[in-house]
């Protein structure tokens, strides 16, 4: 269904054969095994770069000064737009899995998060579950941000403290690539993710 509904577009000289396309589709669908095909809604295109890609950003600071800078990314998920992945990083996640690294799971978590129209670190959930999810995630996120602010060296990637939606995406990476670590560090969050994603994992 993924191959039928999404256009996979390799760019910047990259070529992908049928096997590689199927592999990409399978990897992107891994976070949907529990949620179902509804998780494919809202976007059409998967763009694949050979390696990390450079994007131009701008940011208006508090004084109204516009700063322009460049950022190297291995994945990106546009709201209602394409999902973008670095092929080199997808391959290394599969060939040499490391706890906390699974760029496809990270970007698919953003897609799932966006399904209810707001990027807030919570995918659409039944009402009762949503309440428990929100309170467990908020408490864990607040505690984690506080550790990062104090300069504590955290086991979980400190990028998770960036925003609630990045927290959800980063812990999703751990669910698929380092579930034992996540369970040890954030038990309630790990339990929600196991219920949400199912028990399928890369490592
Ligand atoms: Zn992200």
């Amino acid at each position: 269904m993924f191959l039928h509904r999404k256009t996979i577009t390799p760019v910047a000289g990259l070529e992908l054969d049928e096997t590689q396309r199927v592999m990409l589709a399978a990897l992107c669908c891994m976070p949907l095994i529990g949620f179902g095909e509804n998780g494919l809604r809202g976007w059409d295109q998967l763009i694949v770069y050979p390696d990390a890609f450079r994007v131009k950003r701008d940011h208006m600071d508090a004084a109204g000064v516009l700063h322009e800078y460049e950022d190297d990314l291995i994945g990106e998920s546009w709201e209602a737009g394409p999902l973008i992945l670095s092929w080199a990083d997808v391959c290394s996640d599969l060939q040499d899995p490391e706890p906390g690294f699974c760029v496809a799971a990270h970007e698919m978590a953003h897609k799932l998060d966006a399904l209810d129209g707001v990027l807030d670190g919570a995918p659409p959930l039944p009402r009762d579950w949503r309440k428990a999810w929100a309170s467990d995630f908020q408490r864990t996120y607040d505690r984690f941000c506080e550790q990062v602010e104090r300069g504590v060296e955290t086991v979980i990637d400190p990028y998770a403290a960036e925003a609630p939606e990045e927290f959800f995406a980063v812990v999703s990476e751990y669910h698929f690539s380092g579930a034992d670590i996540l369970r040890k560090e954030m038990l309630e969050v790990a339990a929600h993710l196991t219920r949400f994603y199912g028990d399928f994992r890369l490592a």
Side-chain angles (χ1 to χ4, degrees):
M1 195 173 289
F2 186 98
L3 289 167
H4 180 68
R5 287 184 24 189
K6 311 289 180 205
T7 310
I8 300 178
T9 311
V11 295
L14 180 70
E15 284 176 32
L16 295 169
D17 64 22
E18 274 312 297
T19 312
Q20 291 167 324
R21 284 165 192 267
V22 169
M23 198 181 87
L24 272 169
L27 193 58
C28 289
C29 289
M30 182 178 70
L32 305 179
I33 291 172
F35 191 82
E37 65 184 81
N38 246 337
L40 288 175
R41 273 192 295 119
W43 57 286
D44 306 310
Q45 197 171 190
L46 169 59
I47 296 173
V48 191
Y49 280 85
D51 211 324
F53 48 96
R54 180 152 286 200
V55 291
K56 280 201 167 72
R57 302 268 196 219
D58 48 52
H59 156 74
M60 184 84 78
D61 71 14
V65 178
L66 186 68
H67 298 268
E68 289 185 349
Y69 59 101
E70 291 186 334
D71 221 357
D72 281 328
L73 299 179
I74 60 166
E76 196 174 29
S77 167
W78 293 29
E79 235 173 312
L83 188 134
I84 310 172
L85 294 173
S86 144
W87 178 245
D89 290 271
V90 164
C91 292
S92 97
D93 289 345
L94 287 171
Q95 282 155 12
D96 191 15
E98 257 188 80
F101 290 89
C102 185
V103 64
H106 182 111
E107 303 310 333
M108 284 303 292
H110 285 319
K111 287 296 183 201
L112 286 163
D113 188 347
L115 283 176
D116 57 7
V118 268
L119 264 182
D120 58 356
L125 297 167
R127 183 193 291 256
D128 285 356
W129 186 5
R130 192 168 63 216
K131 260 177 89 180
W133 175 295
S135 86
D136 289 339
F137 267 71
Q138 188 70 56
R139 193 175 53 252
T140 311
Y141 175 68
D142 290 344
R143 196 179 59 211
F144 186 74
C145 289
E146 192 234 328
Q147 287 174 338
V148 171
E149 270 161 36
R150 272 194 290 128
V152 175
E153 207 174 301
T154 55
V155 174
I156 302 295
D157 185 349
Y159 184 66
E162 198 80 4
E165 61 270 27
E166 294 307 332
F167 182 78
F168 170 50
V170 170
V171 293
S172 295
E173 292 189 75
Y174 279 89
H175 170 82
F176 289 106
S177 62
D180 293 345
I181 294 172
L182 185 63
R183 210 173 301 123
K184 196 159 160 267
E185 295 298 309
M186 301 175 171
L187 185 64
E188 290 111 330
V189 162
H192 282 296
L193 293 187
T194 299
R195 185 175 165 193
F196 181 70
Y197 286 126
D199 246 333
F200 187 81
R201 297 194 170 106
L202 278 181

